[in-house]
Amino acid sequence: MTSFPLSRRLVSEALGTAVLVATVVGSGIMADRLTTDTALALLANTLPAGAILVVLISVLGPISGAHFNPVVSLVFTLRRELAAMPALGYVVAQILGGIAGTILAHSMFELPLLQASTTIRSGGAQWLAEVTATFGLIFVIFSGLRFRADAVAWLVGLYITAAYWFTASTSFANPAVAIARSLTNTFAGIRPIDLPGFIIAEILGALLAALLTSWLLMDVRIPRTLAETEPTP
């Protein structure tokens, strides 16, 4: 695989996150304008989000890994697959890209470029939902990379599509996206004051998933160590 310079990887992360957020926010605005049925609006928001993830991971994954998410970059760093300084650059690019995505969506729908959301998303159930959503996302990514690397884009897209519906928070699972969504007072928004709880929950979910996948997939074991600690079949 071609190794791309850091500058191009950062642009890839910013671009991917911008398009992802523009899709989430824009489809939410469109859905809200076309129907008063909340369930139908959520479905109209869900399908584009899952679909665009498949596209973005497929086309930008070979350039930057298609993280588009600070907690994904964090876990890659903890696994020593991404150095600390590039990881910091990834996070900054993702946050800035996400904000740009919100501005783009607002521009397309002739709304004020930046708004403070008033949508309340707080409380233990919401935080547990974000822990769960992010845990599942990280687990799917690294299990997919281990067993079905060719299908990771589809696995992630399908997981997020499902998680929109089985989590109380509608599965943000991404601090950069959460920050960007705090700047839109539309269907996809979240109050800025609710951000810390969501971000902490997302980091916790990612760390728990990293621990489990490392053990479950035996990432740090070598055959000799495995033979010494556990019987083989």
Side-chain angles (χ1 to χ4, degrees):
M1 179 183 292
T2 302
S3 179
F4 287 83
L6 180 59
S7 59
R8 287 171 171 78
R9 286 185 280 150
L10 295 180
V11 170
S12 171
E13 287 297 304
L15 175 62
T17 313
V19 174
L20 173 60
V21 170
T23 301
V24 171
V25 174
S27 63
I29 296 169
M30 179 67 80
D32 202 32
R33 290 185 176 183
L34 293 178
T35 181
T36 58
D37 184 326
T38 303
L40 183 58
L42 181 61
L43 181 61
N45 193 213
T46 302
L47 296 179
I52 201 64
L53 278 168
V54 175
V55 173
L56 292 173
I57 294 170
S58 296
V59 301
L60 295 178
I63 300 175
S64 65
H67 296 188
F68 315 141
N69 187 333
V71 295
V72 173
S73 299
L74 170 64
V75 174
F76 270 102
T77 303
L78 293 176
R79 291 165 60 96
R80 298 182 180 179
E81 296 178 34
L82 180 65
M85 289 308 295
L88 179 60
Y90 270 42
V91 171
V92 172
Q94 291 154 3
I95 293 172
L96 293 178
I99 294 171
T102 294
I103 294 172
L104 174 60
H106 287 170
S107 298
M108 290 190 290
F109 287 93
E110 299 183 317
L111 295 174
L113 297 185
L114 292 175
Q115 312 163 6
S117 176
T118 58
T119 303
I120 300 172
R121 300 181 190 266
S122 185
Q126 292 281 307
W127 300 331
L128 176 60
E130 278 304 288
V131 171
T132 303
T134 312
F135 177 95
L137 175 62
I138 298 300
F139 182 80
V140 166
I141 289 171
F142 287 99
S143 298
L145 288 172
R146 177 70 177 272
F147 300 119
R148 286 297 306 273
D150 61 319
V152 167
W154 284 98
L155 293 173
V156 171
L158 289 171
Y159 172 78
I160 290 298
T161 299
Y164 255 85
W165 287 87
F166 79 77
T167 63
S169 62
T170 66
S171 182
F172 283 45
N174 185 329
V177 169
I179 291 169
R181 289 174 65 168
S182 74
L183 300 174
T184 180
N185 193 27
T186 62
F187 185 82
I190 174 176
R191 289 189 310 175
I193 196 173
D194 296 334
L195 278 178
F198 264 55
I199 292 173
I200 292 169
E202 290 157 1
I203 293 172
L204 177 59
L207 294 177
L208 290 173
L211 288 172
L212 178 64
T213 53
S214 179
W215 173 80
L216 188 63
L217 304 179
M218 298 187 294
D219 287 341
V220 297
R221 309 278 184 88
I222 58 174
R224 177 177 59 81
T225 304
L226 179 61
E228 291 175 356
T229 58
E230 295 181 7
T232 54

